[in-house]
Amino acid sequence: MDLILLVLVLALIGLAAYSFVSIKHLQSRLEKALDNNADNLSDQLTYQLDMANKTQLLELSTVMNRQQNELFQQLMDIRDTLHQGLAENRDRSDQRLEVMTQSLSQSVKSLQDSNEKRLEEMRHTVEEKLEKTLKNRLQTSFEAVSKQLESVNQGLGEMRTVAKDVGTLNKVLSNTKTRGILGELQLGQIVEDIMTANQYEREFATVSGSSDRVEYAIKLPGNGQGDYIYLPIDSKFPLEDYYRLEDAYEAGDRAAIETSRKALLAAIKRFAKSIHSKYLNPPETTNFGIMFLPTEGLYSEVVRNPAFFDSLRREENIVVAGPSTLSALLNSLSVGFKTLNLQKNADDISKILGNVKLEFEKFGGLLAKAQKQLNTANHTLDQLMSTRTKAIVRALATVEDYQDQSTQSLLHIPLLEEADDED
């Protein structure tokens, strides 16, 4: 039995192997047949497609040639039409341009004629106006020139007068006494403008028993009440030396400048010694005096040499001042005087306030006493109004009210209504 089964199994296995081999053989044959058929079909399709493409290309080429010919013919027709239209338009434009040219030529010609006429009229008008204006201007100019010449003549006359006045002034200034008066006037104007009348003395002898009088002396507060210390101020004007120095400056001569400057400083030195010897007498005066130079130029020449300026202050006790410097100094002194007056007034005010304080304290005490007395009187009135009035009313409670003219006249007491009316 087992053998039969084994044989059957082997037979089945052999049959299966044969079937597998047969199937593989058939599969390979089918694949070859399919490949051959596919190649044939591909060749046929390619041939048919080539033929169809060629046919379509021929047809398309024929159609395109026909359409191209038609389009070319249409373009030729359009070109001819355009050429014809352009020719007609050109002819019409030429005609219109010719007409416009003729019209413009006529208009321009008429405009030129009109402009020429107007220009001619304007030229005549302008010439007339120019001629008239020129005549008026020339006449006005001649009149102005004549007036100016008259003014020049008048100015020349005035200049001659001024020249005479300058000559007179030079003559006046050449006099030493006159120059001194001018310097004194300028000094007086500065002092009197800044200081009050009770703060300076004029033409004052600062040295007791001396006949020399200084032009101005400023009154400074002394040690006692009503005592003063005097600050002497005297003006000096060395004009010749200053003029020589100015001339040397204008000429540019250094040697002359140095010589003139030394001469000027020597004159200032002499004036300083004179002021020191005549007007300084401490303690009646200050230990220094002021020399006033009337011009800033003269003062600047002195200040230009600091050593000389300082030597005057140290050796001669003299301070040199110009107009602006003296004004500043006097303003400072004036402020100092005002400060002293304020201090004195402040002391007086303090004393007055002290007295007022004492009087006010007394017044406060009197007010307190008056208030106390008023309070006492008020308390007494309250007692009279309350206690005494109530006691009298209680005492008269049993008395019958009665009012009669005869009894009223006996009491000599006016009726309440009458008293109110009188009030």
Side-chain angles (χ1 to χ4, degrees):
M1 191 67 182
D2 294 330
L3 182 60
I4 294 170
L5 289 172
L6 180 61
V7 171
L8 288 173
V9 170
L10 291 173
L12 289 171
I13 292 170
L15 182 60
Y18 178 75
S19 298
F20 179 75
V21 172
S22 298
I23 290 169
K24 291 293 288 181
H25 181 68
L26 288 172
Q27 185 178 1
S28 61
R29 288 178 64 186
L30 285 172
E31 288 178 357
K32 289 180 180 180
L34 288 172
D35 290 335
N36 292 328
N37 290 329
D39 292 335
N40 292 328
L41 288 173
S42 177
D43 293 336
Q44 290 177 2
L45 287 172
T46 301
Y47 176 75
Q48 290 178 1
L49 287 172
D50 290 337
M51 292 300 291
N53 286 331
K54 289 179 180 179
T55 303
Q56 289 178 358
L57 287 173
L58 288 173
E59 292 177 356
L60 183 61
S61 176
T62 303
V63 172
M64 289 181 67
N65 289 329
R66 186 174 63 252
Q67 289 179 354
Q68 186 177 5
N69 292 328
E70 292 176 356
L71 181 61
F72 181 75
Q73 186 64 36
Q74 290 176 0
L75 289 174
M76 292 298 292
D77 295 338
I78 291 170
R79 188 190 66 178
D80 295 337
T81 304
L82 287 174
H83 278 297
Q84 186 178 359
L86 288 172
E88 292 176 356
N89 288 330
R90 184 179 61 191
D91 294 337
R92 286 196 297 270
S93 298
D94 291 339
Q95 292 176 1
R96 289 178 181 176
L97 286 173
E98 186 176 358
V99 173
M100 290 175 66
T101 302
Q102 292 177 358
S103 177
L104 285 173
S105 299
Q106 293 177 358
S107 299
V108 169
K109 186 176 181 181
S110 60
L111 183 61
Q112 286 178 349
D113 296 337
S114 176
N115 288 335
E116 287 178 357
K117 290 180 181 179
R118 290 182 181 178
L119 287 173
E120 187 67 22
E121 293 175 357
M122 289 173 65
R123 187 175 62 80
H124 287 300
T125 305
V126 169
E127 286 179 355
E128 291 176 358
K129 289 184 177 180
L130 284 175
E131 186 177 359
K132 185 177 180 181
T133 304
L134 184 60
K135 288 181 180 179
N136 293 331
R137 292 284 179 85
L138 288 173
Q139 186 176 359
T140 305
S141 299
F142 283 128
E143 291 177 356
V145 169
S146 299
K147 291 180 180 179
Q148 290 178 359
L149 288 174
E150 292 177 0
S151 300
V152 169
N153 290 327
Q154 292 178 359
L156 289 173
E158 292 176 357
M159 288 180 65
R160 293 191 187 96
T161 305
V162 171
K164 291 180 181 179
D165 294 338
V166 170
T168 304
L169 181 61
N170 286 328
K171 291 179 181 179
V172 170
L173 292 177
S174 62
N175 189 347
T176 305
K177 185 175 181 180
T178 306
R179 287 202 307 272
I181 293 172
L182 290 176
E184 183 179 352
L185 289 175
Q186 188 174 359
L187 173 61
Q189 184 177 3
I190 294 173
V191 173
E192 292 171 7
D193 286 344
I194 297 174
M195 311 299 288
T196 59
N198 59 350
Q199 292 176 345
Y200 65 88
E201 295 288 348
R202 184 176 180 182
E203 296 296 332
F204 183 72
T206 56
V207 179
S208 300
S210 174
S211 60
D212 296 324
R213 295 180 177 272
V214 71
E215 293 174 357
Y216 283 89
I218 305 299
K219 297 162 67 175
L220 303 177
N223 295 325
Q225 184 70 24
D227 293 337
Y228 295 103
I229 299 174
Y230 295 94
L231 171 62
I233 304 175
D234 199 60
S235 64
K236 299 297 179 182
F237 201 176
L239 190 63
E240 292 87 354
D241 296 325
Y242 180 64
Y243 277 172
R244 282 194 290 269
L245 180 59
E246 290 295 320
D247 293 338
Y249 276 129
E250 292 179 1
D253 189 351
R254 292 186 178 181
I257 291 172
E258 290 298 326
T259 304
S260 301
R261 182 180 291 128
K262 288 180 181 179
L264 177 63
L265 296 181
I268 297 294
K269 184 78 171 179
R270 288 195 304 272
F271 291 146
K273 289 182 178 180
S274 175
I275 294 172
H276 180 271
S277 61
K278 291 180 180 180
Y279 308 128
L280 294 183
N281 185 30
E284 295 179 1
T285 66
T286 56
N287 59 355
F288 69 95
I290 297 176
M291 181 194 301
F292 174 69
L293 301 179
T295 64
E296 294 292 345
L298 183 58
Y299 173 70
S300 65
E301 287 297 331
V302 177
V303 177
R304 187 176 295 178
N305 192 337
F308 176 75
F309 186 81
D310 190 60
S311 68
L312 292 180
R313 182 182 59 80
R314 286 185 291 101
E315 297 174 4
E316 307 299 337
N317 294 328
I318 297 299
V319 176
V320 180
S324 59
T325 309
L326 182 62
S327 298
L329 177 61
L330 294 180
N331 278 316
S332 301
L333 291 175
S334 178
V335 171
F337 291 154
K338 291 178 182 178
T339 304
L340 289 175
N341 290 330
L342 287 175
Q343 289 179 353
K344 292 180 180 178
N345 293 332
D347 294 337
D348 295 338
I349 291 170
S350 178
K351 292 177 182 179
I352 292 171
L353 288 176
N355 293 328
V356 170
K357 181 180 179 182
L358 292 175
E359 294 296 329
F360 190 75
E361 290 176 354
K362 294 178 181 179
F363 180 69
L366 293 174
L367 283 177
K369 290 180 181 179
Q371 185 179 11
K372 186 176 181 181
Q373 292 175 359
L374 287 173
N375 290 331
T376 303
N378 191 17
H379 182 66
T380 304
L381 286 174
D382 289 338
Q383 288 181 351
L384 288 174
M385 290 294 294
S386 60
T387 306
R388 296 300 178 185
T389 303
K390 290 179 181 179
I392 293 171
V393 170
R394 284 196 302 270
L396 296 175
T398 57
V399 179
E400 184 179 357
D401 294 336
Y402 182 77
Q403 184 175 0
D404 186 66
Q405 292 290 336
S406 59
T407 57
Q408 184 70 29
S409 61
L410 291 173
L411 292 173
H412 300 288
I413 298 174
L415 294 175
L416 184 60
E417 291 81 6
E418 293 177 357
D420 292 339
D421 293 336
E422 290 177 359
D423 292 335

